[in-house]
Amino acid sequence: MPRTPVNPPSNPDLDAMLAKALSKETAAMPADAPAEEEAEIDPVEQRCGYVAIVGKPNVGKSTLLNALVGQKVSITSRKAQTTRHRITGMRTVGPTQFIFVDTPGFQTRHGNALNRALNKTVMGAVSDVDLILFVVEAGHFNLADAKVLSLLPANVPVILLANKFDLVHRRGDLAPWLRSMQERHPFTEFVPMSAKTAKDIERLFGICEKFLPQQPWMHDSEDLTDRSERFMASEMVREKLFRLTGDELPYTSTVIIDKFEEEGALKRIAATIVVEREGHKGMVIGEGGEKLKRIGTEARQELEKLWDCKVFLELWVKVRSGWADDDARVRSFGYE
């Protein structure tokens, strides 16, 4: 006699989470208050806290951070492992100051000195925050996602941020997947969204706010990042380097700032692109130096837009074989 299928036991709390996550209604925070109104906010009402953005490489963490901050503070490209540092971006909305920490994607494929430093950065970022946004692609979960999830501390609330939700054809299709994700980790909330949609970003502020403690702001309300202009210059060159060389160039290539000087409204920058092999040097320079020239031009234009000033950028290319396997050289190149 055929057995009657047994439905899984009902879980009211999980059902409520799913209904909220898949609802078409949004509860966005109000737009940023004008500066004169911000000055009137009672310090007793202020909230401030750290929110770590974690996930496997190339899942959209840097795009999310830039959208939350409202300006590019973390570089992006299709090449996995573009982000190599702990990037902090700030955004003050009404009485709440959000301090977002973008992290490198956790690396499991290579065990060189560079990746050990990157993974150490990830672990450091999640150890002392008020909230974690675990970013995955909506409807997908693989071993790389599982590795990152296994490292999250048990005492910090974690929101499952299902990114690229706009690519899911039917909302209802996501419910079984979300149920399976809750079996993997006790998520505090599900947030299906797209990091490229303004309404979703506004809604995320409202969701994150309640997890941050009531305490005075740690930064000026106008601050967007704690990273220096020198650091931003190196990151911008590295972004253009990877975007314009595609998969030809190994991700171990890096950028070192040799000179950063300010002359009134002009910033003079000299930087070295470091590659591991002589053949890679040719890829970066290109025929007649055209590739290197384009990298410099696009990086300069982006920096001028970011800083609203004139920038003179000079680029060089040098070969440093095996640097990513050398702990001392990895540290000397600015990796934690």
Side-chain angles (χ1 to χ4, degrees), residues 36-261:
E36 60 269 17
E37 293 183 18
E38 288 181 353
E40 298 175 3
I41 293 174
D42 188 337
V44 176
E45 298 178 357
Q46 291 181 353
R47 288 180 178 270
C48 182
Y50 287 89
V51 181
I53 303 172
V54 303
K56 68 182 180 183
N58 215 23
V59 77
K61 300 183 300 298
S62 297
T63 299
L64 175 63
L65 175 67
N66 292 336
L68 288 164
V69 173
Q71 178 175 298
K72 178 181 282 190
V73 294
S74 186
I75 66 173
T76 61
S77 82
R78 291 191 303 273
K79 186 185 288 288
Q81 205 51 44
T82 303
T83 299
R84 291 193 188 158
H85 300 268
R86 173 173 170 158
I87 311 291
T88 302
M90 285 83 78
R91 182 76 174 271
T92 302
V93 184
T96 305
Q97 185 169 89
F98 303 85
I99 306 175
F100 297 103
V101 182
D102 184 23
T103 62
F106 198 89
Q107 280 291 313
T108 58
R109 293 179 59 192
H110 308 286
N112 60 21
L114 174 60
N115 280 333
R116 288 195 297 272
L118 300 181
N119 290 345
K120 184 178 179 182
T121 298
V122 178
M123 296 302 295
V126 300
S127 63
D128 190 24
V129 295
D130 300 291
L131 176 66
I132 295 172
L133 300 180
F134 177 59
V135 185
V136 292
E137 186 174 342
H140 299 271
F141 187 85
N142 61 22
L143 288 175
D145 296 304
K147 177 64 175 178
V148 179
L149 186 60
S150 70
L151 298 171
L152 302 186
N155 62 334
V156 179
V158 181
I159 289 176
L160 174 63
L161 197 155
N163 196 23
K164 304 180 183 179
F165 183 50
D166 53 316
L167 302 181
V168 177
H169 298 299
R170 293 191 303 175
R171 288 172 180 261
D173 292 344
L174 205 61
W177 178 77
L178 289 173
R179 286 184 181 276
S180 71
M181 290 301 295
Q182 192 67 4
E183 294 175 1
R184 300 177 185 276
H185 187 91
F187 293 104
T188 305
E189 199 153 343
F190 303 137
V191 183
M193 62 170 288
S194 168
K196 296 181 179 180
T197 302
K199 285 187 177 180
D200 285 350
I201 292 297
E202 290 178 16
R203 181 166 58 95
L204 186 58
F205 279 122
I207 293 169
C208 293
E209 180 187 35
K210 59 182 178 286
F211 293 96
L212 305 188
Q214 285 190 299
Q215 62 180 351
W217 298 338
M218 299 179 191
H219 301 273
D220 187 275
S221 62
E222 300 299 318
D223 289 349
L224 296 179
T225 183
D226 65 347
R227 286 296 191 174
S228 68
E229 290 184 339
R230 187 184 186 99
F231 172 82
M232 294 303 296
S234 68
E235 288 290 275
M236 207 63 73
V237 173
R238 198 159 60 83
E239 178 186 71
K240 304 311 175 187
L241 170 68
F242 286 146
R243 285 195 172 188
L244 294 173
T245 56
D247 294 329
E248 299 175 89
L249 194 67
Y251 83 96
T252 47
S253 305
T254 195
V255 177
I256 308 300
I257 300 298
D258 303 307
K259 182 178 72 173
F260 191 105
E261 298 175 347

